Amino acid sequence: MPPLSRRVVLAGTAALGAAALAPRAFAQETLKIGVLGTLTGPGAPWGLAIDGGARIAAKEVNDRGGLKIGDKSYAIEIVAYDDQYKAANAVTAVNRLIEVDGVRFILGPIASASTLAIKPLTEREKVLLFTASWSSAILKDADYVYRVGPTTQEFAPATVAWVKANRPQVKRVATISANDETGWNSQRVQKEAYTKAGFEIVAAEHFERQQTDFRPLVTKLLAANPDSIELDTTPPATSGLIIRQAREQGYRGIFTKFGGFDVAEIVRTGGAENVEGVVGILQADPASPEWARLKTAFAQFHKNEMGDYTFLFYDAARLLFSALEKAGRTDADAVVAALAAQSPFPGTVGELHWGGRETYGVAHQLYTPLFFLEINNGTGRVIGKAALS
C-alpha cells in the first residue's frame, strides 16, 4: 500500500483532532466510520460538509448511549482523510481505511475520479460507500455503492423547467464546467436538458481545477453572446471568481449554478454586488430551523460556513446507523438489505427514498427535496422547491 502523505494523514488525525469523536466509556466496542473527501483546496466546503455531517450524526448516537447492534453497544468513531480531489490520494486513503483502520463503511468522496478509482476495491472488499459523486458510472455494477444526493441526471429537468418558466428572457445559454469526469458528465446532461427544453447552447467550456484566472475563458463565453451562463458543478469559490471576472468584462446577463451551490463562498470570492441575482439549488433552506440547528452543531467541528451537503451526509449517516441497528450485525449484505427496507426514510427536511433502478440498474440513488435559491444582498433566499422522483 503506498504511504499517505503527511498532509493526508493530518487531515484524518491531528488537523481534525479537536473534532475527533473518541470512544465513550459506556460503549462495549468501537465502530469506526470512514470519511473520505476534499478537506483542503477549492472543493473543501464539500469535503468538510461530508465530515461535519458524519460527526454530527455520530455525536448524537454517542450522546444517547451508543449504537445498539444486536446485543452490543458501539461508540462511533470518525476516521477522516483528505483526497485533495485527486484519485491517487483517494486510493491511498481507502487502502489505509480498510487495511489499517478496519473501516467497513465510508462516507464520501465527492470527486467522481476519486470514487471511480476506489470503487473496484470497495466492491471487492464489500465496504459500503456513500458518495455524492456525480458521474453516471458511479452506480454501474455497484452492489455496495450508494449515492446520497441528486445529480444533474435527477434534477436537470426540474431546474431547466424553472429557468424556462421564471426567466423567459433566456434563450441562449453558455455553460462552463471542470475539465474532469464530474464536469464532463454533468455538462453533457445539462446541455441535453437545455436543448430538449428549446434553449440554444451557444458555448460549452471547461477549466482546470486549480485555475484562478478565467479572463481568456470568459472572453470566449461572452463572444457567444449568451443570455445566461450555467456554472454547473464549478466549485463555489471558483464560481465567484468567474462571475466577478465576467462582470468586470461587462457581462450583465444571468448566472445559474445548478450543482454544488454555496452562497457564502460565492459571495466571498465574487463580491455581493457581482453575484446579486445568481440562482442555484440547495438541499435545505438556510432560513429554516433545521439549518440553524445543524449550523450550531457543525461549528463544534469546523470553522468554515456550513454548506447544504452537510444535510446529505448527516442524513446518510443516520440512514446507515438505522440500517445497522435493524440488521443487528455489521455484515455488509445484511446492512444492504436493511438499507433497501428503509425507503421512505424521514430525512431532516423531508422524505427520502431510494430509486434509480431504471437509470442505473440498481436502486441506490437517494432522492431528496430540492430548494431553489436566489442571492439577494449577499444572502440566499428560497424562491421555490421541487420534489424529485
Side-chain angles (χ1 to χ4, degrees), residues 94 98 106 118-127 129:
V94 83
I98 294 172
I106 298 173
I118 67 175
K119 177 183 169 184
L121 176 59
T122 57
E123 285 288 293
R124 186 183 73 227
E125 297 295 326
K126 293 188 174 184
V127 171
L129 193 65

Side-chain angles (χ1 to χ4, degrees), residues 5-83:
S5 69
R6 177 176 175 80
R7 191 174 186 184
V8 174
V9 171
L10 287 177
T13 54
L16 294 176
L21 297 173
R24 299 172 68 90
F26 58 72
Q28 297 171 343
E29 297 190 26
T30 297
L31 179 65
K32 293 182 178 180
I33 303 296
V35 163
L36 179 56
T38 305
L39 304 176
T40 55
W46 295 333
L48 294 174
I50 299 173
D51 186 78
R55 290 178 186 275
I56 294 167
K59 184 177 186 300
E60 289 177 354
V61 166
N62 290 343
D63 286 349
R64 70 170 183 253
L67 194 66
K68 307 303 189 294
I69 304 176
D71 59 356
K72 295 181 179 179
S73 178
Y74 291 83
I76 304 300
E77 181 180 352
I78 300 299
V79 183
Y81 293 103
D82 184 4
D83 71 351

Side-chain angles (χ1 to χ4, degrees), residues 8 12 34 45 61 65 84 100 119 140 142-143 155 158 170 179 182 230 250 257 293 300 315 317 322 387:
V8 174
V61 166
Q84 299 173 316
V100 178
K119 177 183 169 184
K140 181 178 173 58
D143 294 323
F155 62 66
V170 175
N179 189 27
T182 298
E230 170 58 61
K257 177 160 171 45
R293 179 179 72 83
Q300 298 180 50
D315 278 340
S322 179

Side-chain angles (χ1 to χ4, degrees), residues 262-286:
D262 186 310
V263 173
E265 283 294 294
I266 293 172
V267 172
R268 181 181 66 82
T269 57
E273 69 284 359
N274 293 321
V275 304
E276 183 74 11
V278 174
V279 175
I281 50 174
L282 290 180
Q283 306 301 318
D285 179 355

Side-chain angles (χ1 to χ4, degrees), residues 12 19 27 81 98 106 150 172 180 204 209 264 283 290 298 316 322 330 356 369:
Y81 293 103
I98 294 172
I106 298 173
R172 298 163 57 84
D180 57 23
R209 287 279 176 187
Q283 306 301 318
E290 294 85 6
F298 184 87
S322 179
T330 58

